Amino acid sequence: MPVLTAPAAPTHDLGGARFTSLATPSRGATDTAVWKVEILPGTPATPHALTREEVFVVLEGKASVRIAGNAGQAEAGDAIVVPPGTEFELANAGTIGS
């Protein structure tokens, strides 16, 4: 697999969330998508579902997560696994100003 260099700018800015496409089919991946997601504290979570399994790795801070109605929290170093077709929400569990 080729090395995909990091893009110079985020792919999407939606409110207090920033998404950067690192490895997606449009960038050369064939089956897996990897995104860097940065969510500001206080940004409301948006419930949604995706067609494939998603894995999120918390790099710093804490994340609030709700998967199929089950709430949890993840800290730096934790992985969050969301099954395909399952409604989930992901938010920054920090407080504004932190």
Side-chain angles (χ1 to χ4, degrees):
M1 169 162 260
V3 173
L4 302 174
T5 58
T11 309
H12 309 290
D13 277 313
L14 301 171
R18 173 176 282 172
F19 302 85
T20 303
S21 170
L22 299 176
T24 58
S26 66
R27 299 198 73 229
T30 57
D31 192 47
T32 302
V34 177
W35 294 80
K36 178 180 178 184
V37 181
E38 301 168 86
I39 304 172
L40 294 174
T43 302
T46 302
H48 62 291
L50 301 165
T51 58
R52 296 181 183 225
E53 179 178 77
E54 292 272 324
V55 179
F56 298 87
V57 178
V58 180
L59 298 177
E60 61 182 70
K62 294 182 183 179
S64 295
V65 63
R66 182 176 304 276
I67 302 171
N70 298 308
Q73 192 169 55
E75 298 182 5
D78 293 342
I80 301 163
V81 180
V82 182
T86 303
E87 185 172 274
F88 75 101
E89 302 173 30
L90 185 63
N92 185 327
T95 57
I96 296 174
S98 65

